[in-house]
Amino acid sequence: MTGHEAEDYLREYRAMLKSWTMAVAGFSEANSDTLYARLEEGQQQLAEIALAHPDKSYSVDMLINSRSRTWAGFAMERVPRPEQG
């Protein structure tokens, strides 16, 4: 994978992480479970990027930590949002 392809993948993963965060917080109708599964599937690719491109390892680490620390616990304990209307 070239450096450009790695950047593209990181950009796509970051966008998916944002979509998942919005779904978990209740600000979008997206399926947070499906997005979470896709984020999980991308972990291996992130690891490969970090190994192949050490200059991108900080970005990879930030993405992994953003997904696994704060929101993972929030998703499990989230109180349903009231209906708007």
Side-chain angles (χ1 to χ4, degrees):
M1 173 179 285
T2 67
H4 182 69
E5 290 170 330
E7 281 296 327
D8 288 345
Y9 187 85
L10 293 174
R11 190 172 16 271
E12 290 170 15
Y13 193 92
R14 198 173 292 113
M16 189 170 26
L17 179 62
K18 181 179 179 182
S19 296
W20 176 71
T21 301
M22 297 294 286
V24 167
F27 294 109
S28 83
E29 297 296 322
N31 184 323
S32 62
D33 293 336
T34 300
L35 289 168
Y36 187 81
R38 289 179 57 202
L39 289 169
E40 280 287 306
E41 291 169 4
Q43 292 274 63
Q44 182 61 37
Q45 186 66 37
L46 290 177
E48 291 173 15
I49 289 171
L51 291 173
H53 303 280
D55 60 313
K56 298 180 187 341
S57 61
Y58 180 78
S59 294
V60 168
D61 194 39
M62 292 299 293
L63 289 171
I64 291 171
N65 287 332
S66 293
R67 183 196 56 80
S68 61
R69 292 190 183 184
T70 306
W71 289 110
F74 180 73
M76 296 174 71
E77 300 171 8
R78 177 177 53 155
V79 174
R81 292 175 54 95
E83 292 292 322
Q84 304 232 352

